[in-house]
């Protein structure tokens, strides 16, 4: 049933263009308060925040819905929400297209040695053109295994199919049947049987208790020689040391990594934080990107549009999309 009014509080600061764009798409019954509005938190029904603090949730006496304005549930937010079972938590999947494109960009860069070629030729060095054996990999007719067949994984699958790759995927819940894009879809426990078939392994999973360190030395050993790994899910899904060792000892051919193990904690650290404790930066067969997969010039307008969609559903009395199941962790 439609409610007459809904108060939404944005906990973090957003550009004025974003706020104006959001307001322009909202049902007239929705009131938006901003971070610096001292009373906004106390009276809001919906809070937009990724990592709210306990005292903020306690202060928001009318709160029934938390919208995390991206895809994923930070472990600390998951733990906190367990204490507030009456709050329904939701994600936004506004940047799934951008993340899928970036995953494929990393896959292609790793497969085609784009970064080492670029770096050498900038120095006038053509020797890689003549080097044998050749490191560049043909992806056509090879098999990609996509872990996580959600908003991002399904888009990656479509692009890989268009490159004439065979697509295998895993997801948590049935149906486990090929859908014409992924030829075969399996439950998580099929992983050991699938890895030996995977010339490319793309991780598009949420970080949950089940996926943390899902890929370790044993799993990497099961991949065929020269396999390429791409991670756009979360760093800790792959064991850091095992990944480094596999890249050094040739167990893995190459990797493209957007998500990491160490992040800057403040603005000063943004210019001096290595993303891992291992010397991945010394390896030629790794492509780095700074957790940027979802960020394009279109990201904020898309975030505003998707957020407006959830809020308009809430005031219309419809189910709010993208509900997070805390017991599953995504
Ligand atoms: N790098 C970046 O900038 C960036 C940006 C956005 C998101 N991400 C990451 O990408 C993740 C996925 O995003 P999304 O939008 O695709 O989420 P989503 O639509 O919720 O999809 C998650 C997929 O993972 C599957 N899954 C969950 N646990 C699994 C397990 N143990 N084994 C196999 N599959 C499992 C789910 O299975 P079901 O289909 O059965 O539910 C679903 O298919 C996010 O949680 C976030 O960590 C990264």
């Amino acid at each position: 049933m439609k409610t007459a009014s809904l108060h939404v509080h944005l906990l973090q600061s957003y550009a004025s263009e974003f706020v104006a764009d959001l307001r322009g798409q909202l049902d007239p019954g929705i009131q938006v308060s901003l971070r610096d509005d001292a009373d906004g938190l106390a009276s809001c029904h919906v809070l937009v925040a990724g990592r709210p603090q306990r005292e903020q949730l306690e202060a928001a006496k009318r709160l029934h819905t938390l919208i995390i304005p991206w895809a994923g549930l930070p472990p600390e937010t998951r733990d906190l929400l367990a204490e507030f079972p009456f709050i329904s938590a939701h994600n936004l999947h506004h940047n799934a297209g951008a993340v899928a494109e970036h995953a494929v960009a990393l896959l292609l860069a790793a497969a085609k040695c784009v970064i080492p070629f670029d770096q050498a030729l900038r120095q006038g060095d053509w020797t890689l053109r003549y080097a044998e054996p050749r490191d560049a990999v043909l992806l056509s007719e090879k098999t990609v295994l996509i872990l996580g067949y959600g908003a991002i994984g399904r888009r990656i699958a479509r692009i890989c199919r268009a490159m004439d790759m065979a697509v295998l995927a895993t997801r948590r819940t049935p149906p486990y049947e090929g859908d014409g894009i992924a030829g075969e879809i399996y439950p998580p426990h099929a992983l050991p049987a699938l890895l030996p078939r995977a010339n490319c392994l793309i991780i598009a999973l949420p970080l949950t208790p089940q996926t943390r360190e899902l890929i370790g030395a044993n799993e990497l050993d099961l991949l065929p020689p020269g396999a390429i790994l791409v991670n756009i899910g979360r760093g800790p899904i792959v064991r850091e040391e095992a990944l480094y060792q596999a890249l050094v000892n040739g167990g893995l051919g190459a990797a493209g990594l957007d998500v990491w193990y160490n992040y800057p904690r403040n603005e000063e650290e943004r210019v001096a934080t290595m993303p891992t404790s291992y010397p991945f930066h010394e390896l030629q067969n790794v492509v780095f990107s700074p957790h940027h997969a979802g960020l394009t010039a279109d990201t904020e307008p898309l975030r505003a549009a998707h957020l407006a969609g959830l809020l308009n559903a809430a005031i219309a009395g419809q189910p709010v999309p993208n509900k997070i199941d805390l017991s599953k962790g995504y």
Side-chain angles (χ1 to χ4, degrees), residues 71-111:
L73 174 63
E76 64 271 33
T77 305
R78 176 190 154 122
D79 292 347
L80 184 59
L81 285 173
E83 300 174 32
F84 296 85
F86 47 88
I87 298 176
S88 176
H90 301 259
N91 269 150
L92 295 183
H93 297 282
H94 61 290
N95 60 9
V99 180
E101 289 177 10
H102 196 88
V104 177
L106 291 174
L107 174 65
L108 286 166

Side-chain angles (χ1 to χ4, degrees), residues 307-329:
L307 180 55
L310 267 63
L311 296 172
N312 288 334
I315 197 167
Q318 295 163 359
V320 179
N322 308 340
K323 186 169 166 49
I324 296 171
D325 180 336
L326 289 187
S327 68
K328 291 182 184 169

Side-chain angles (χ1 to χ4, degrees), residues 70-73 91-96 98-99 102 146-155 169-176 186-189 203-212 214 231-234 237 258-259 263 289-295 322 328-330:
W70 64 76
L73 174 63
N91 269 150
L92 295 183
H93 297 282
H94 61 290
N95 60 9
V99 180
H102 196 88
I146 302 172
L147 304 185
Y149 201 58
I152 297 169
R154 289 195 299 272
R155 283 175 169 82
T170 62
R171 61 182 300 185
R172 198 172 188 276
T173 43
Y176 301 123
Y186 293 93
H189 66 75
I203 296 159
L205 289 166
L207 179 63
T208 69
Q210 287 71 42
T211 65
R212 184 178 287 276
L214 180 71
N231 190 3
I232 50 81
R234 288 289 181 262
I237 296 169
D258 185 54
V259 286
Y263 283 79
S289 68
H291 202 143
H292 198 282
L295 304 174
N322 308 340
K328 291 182 184 169
Y330 71 99

Side-chain angles (χ1 to χ4, degrees), residues 294-313:
L295 304 174
T296 69
D298 293 310
T299 297
E300 293 314 309
L302 283 169
R303 196 194 309 272
H306 282 237
L307 180 55
L310 267 63
L311 296 172
N312 288 334

Side-chain angles (χ1 to χ4, degrees), residues 272-310:
T273 299
M274 292 308 283
T276 155
S277 316
Y278 292 82
F280 281 79
H281 60 281
E282 294 172 358
L283 307 177
Q284 285 288 309
N285 54 349
V286 190
V287 186
F288 286 41
S289 68
H291 202 143
H292 198 282
L295 304 174
T296 69
D298 293 310
T299 297
E300 293 314 309
L302 283 169
R303 196 194 309 272
H306 282 237
L307 180 55
L310 267 63

Side-chain angles (χ1 to χ4, degrees), residues 20-34:
D21 187 12
L22 175 66
R23 284 192 166 124
Q25 298 179 63
L26 293 178
D27 181 291
I30 301 177
Q31 178 203 343
V32 178
S33 61
L34 306 182

